[in-house]
Amino acid sequence: DFAAQTGVRLIPYGGGSSVVGHINPLPGDAPVLTVDLGRMNRLLELDEASRLATFECGVPGPALEQELNQRGYTLGHFPQSFEFSTLGGWIATRSTGQQSYHYGRIEPLFAGGRLLTPLGTLDLPAFPASAAGPDLRHLVLGSEGRLGILTQAQVRIRPLPQKERFLAIFFPDWDSGMAAVKHMAQSGLAVSMLRLSDPVETETTLVLSGHDRLVSFAKWGLSLIGQREQRCMLIFGLTGRRDSTALAYRQVQSMARPYGGFAVNFFIGDKWQKSRFYTPYLRNTLWEHGYALDTLETALPWKAVPEAVQAIQASLHAALQPWNERVLVFSHLSHLYTDGASMYVTYLFRRAADPLETEQRWRAMKQGASEQIVRFGGTISHQHGIGLDHAAYLAAEKGPLGMEAIRSALHHFDPQGILNPGKLVDTSPVTQGDPLQA
């Protein structure tokens, strides 16, 4: 009401972990208030009969899991930003956890909730299933704070697994590994995660492990069986009952062998699990040493994955040629599906003396990679959302009619444009020039 009366704009704020500009205020004359949901962090109800938990949406990942774990349950949603991101943020950006192969993305976990909009409260009751018209939860999922402020959410929970372990398999090259994980994904194995790193990411992961002697021994052993510089590492997760995880382990091993897969059942998987949320902390450290680090991701059909991986990486290298600069690029496939896979790319480049030039370098790489994603028919975001960085490419995915449908929904719930303006869909006229700038 205050915002409607005064012209103030509101940006809902969860954990602030977005990497694509979801919470950045746009330039303009209107004052902007950040609505911090950090104190809305309670477990309101636990329905053990239905395995539904109702939380306030400001609850961060660790607090949510602690509340559930001490009662014998888990949500199982572990994005890279798990330590800081919130339940509301996961829903608003259609988040994906690292073990989505077992637990699912946030979409099936989100059973219902409450959205406070400028026009009033939208209650979304939790049904086991419904055919009563369009599912309004899917308006809220991915809405990025444009429709209202999500205050409560009911989520589908599971008992804590009897057993969980992460293990590694090495393949002689990228093509062998990719063929193997495609076979595994389409076979419906009862694993919780399949994450295949390319040769550069494999080497980077081993170097960053901090165990030089063990790594050297592992490399020596792998070289004896013909796996050298082009080797690729698969980290897979086993989560669930003891009998089902034992069966899944044997199935993974059996499917890996025809592709030259060699299992390593100690150290590497355990080390990955212990450090799985540490990578974002490298960003500030690298910056202080003169390097910028960023990530991008997409999901593509299997037939497009091999060529798209090469093209996206090549575009990042080519983008810095005008500055005679190099970029370190590595990637992995994760969140595998029967019809395709998510590709996650990390790229590291030198900062320039001039901050504006550093931004120009980043824009050139981001734009080049985004154009390749669109060219190969990939989604502009598998898990990071749209925000500011991806807004110019959303129309390629939704089409003109789809974009108008999204705009109409935003205008219906927020006719004055109070909430997080300019995000997801820009309701102002699009300027000419750089699509990222637009």
Side-chain angles (χ1 to χ4, degrees), residues 1-23:
D1 290 344
F2 172 76
Q5 294 166 10
T6 61
V8 163
R9 302 294 182 253
L10 306 177
I11 299 182
Y13 184 98
S17 61
S18 166
V19 294
V20 294
H22 283 112
I23 55 175

Side-chain angles (χ1 to χ4, degrees), residues 207-329:
V207 169
L208 290 177
S209 70
H211 295 271
D212 296 343
R213 293 182 64 183
L214 279 174
V215 168
S216 296
F217 179 74
K219 289 181 179 179
W220 174 77
L222 291 168
S223 68
L224 293 180
I225 60 171
Q227 294 197 12
R228 296 182 174 86
E229 289 78 9
Q230 293 304 306
R231 59 180 164 258
C232 294
M233 181 176 65
L234 170 68
I235 300 288
F236 66 99
L238 300 171
T239 303
R241 301 191 317 272
R242 290 182 177 87
D243 57 348
S244 63
T245 56
L247 174 61
Y249 172 75
R250 293 193 297 270
Q251 290 174 327
V252 170
Q253 299 275 46
S254 175
M255 289 187 182
R257 288 191 196 102
Y259 301 96
F262 181 82
V264 177
N265 294 334
F266 65 96
F267 166 61
I268 294 176
D270 294 336
K271 179 65 177 178
W272 180 88
Q273 183 181 14
K274 291 176 182 177
S275 60
R276 63 194 294 193
F277 304 123
Y278 289 177
T279 304
Y281 293 98
L282 286 173
R283 192 181 299 257
N284 286 355
T285 302
L286 288 166
W287 185 268
E288 291 169 0
H289 284 80
Y291 294 91
L293 179 138
D294 197 19
T295 58
L296 58 89
E297 40 80 47
T298 182
L300 304 121
W302 278 116
K303 68 177 183 179
V305 169
E307 191 177 353
V309 169
Q310 295 181 5
I312 292 169
Q313 291 191 352
S315 73
L316 292 168
H317 289 289
L320 289 190
Q321 289 180 358
W323 291 277
N324 196 29
E325 287 286 333
R326 294 186 298 170
V327 57
L328 176 66
V329 183

Side-chain angles (χ1 to χ4, degrees), residues 76-244:
H77 192 75
F78 302 108
Q80 182 79 74
S81 59
F82 171 75
E83 293 180 310
F84 298 101
S85 55
T86 63
L87 175 59
W90 298 342
I91 295 166
T93 59
R94 292 176 67 181
S95 170
T96 305
Q98 292 172 342
Q99 292 167 260
S100 65
Y101 201 78
H102 177 71
Y103 292 107
R105 294 166 57 98
I106 196 63
E107 289 99 315
L109 298 177
F110 175 46
R114 175 169 294 171
L115 184 76
L116 305 186
T117 84
L119 293 187
T121 300
L122 176 66
D123 282 315
L124 303 166
F127 298 112
S130 171
D135 190 341
L136 294 181
R137 290 176 306 161
H138 286 277
L139 275 178
V140 178
L141 285 158
S143 58
E144 304 194 356
R146 293 298 308 267
L147 298 179
I149 299 177
L150 195 62
T151 58
Q152 296 181 19
Q154 287 177 295
V155 289
R156 298 183 172 99
I157 58 176
R158 301 189 187 199
L160 284 167
Q162 291 180 349
K163 184 175 181 179
E164 181 165 79
R165 193 176 178 193
F166 295 88
L167 303 163
I169 294 177
F170 286 87
F171 293 94
D173 53 52
W174 176 248
D175 290 340
S176 299
M178 190 161 43
V181 296
K182 176 174 173 285
H183 184 194
M184 294 174 187
Q186 293 180 339
S187 299
L189 294 184
V191 294
S192 61
M193 189 185 76
L194 293 168
R195 176 186 174 123
L196 178 70
S197 296
D198 69 10
V200 179
E201 181 168 288
T202 296
E203 180 67 14
T204 303
T205 301
L206 293 175
V207 169
L208 290 177
S209 70
H211 295 271
D212 296 343
R213 293 182 64 183
L214 279 174
V215 168
S216 296
F217 179 74
K219 289 181 179 179
W220 174 77
L222 291 168
S223 68
L224 293 180
I225 60 171
Q227 294 197 12
R228 296 182 174 86
E229 289 78 9
Q230 293 304 306
R231 59 180 164 258
C232 294
M233 181 176 65
L234 170 68
I235 300 288
F236 66 99
L238 300 171
T239 303
R241 301 191 317 272
R242 290 182 177 87
D243 57 348
S244 63

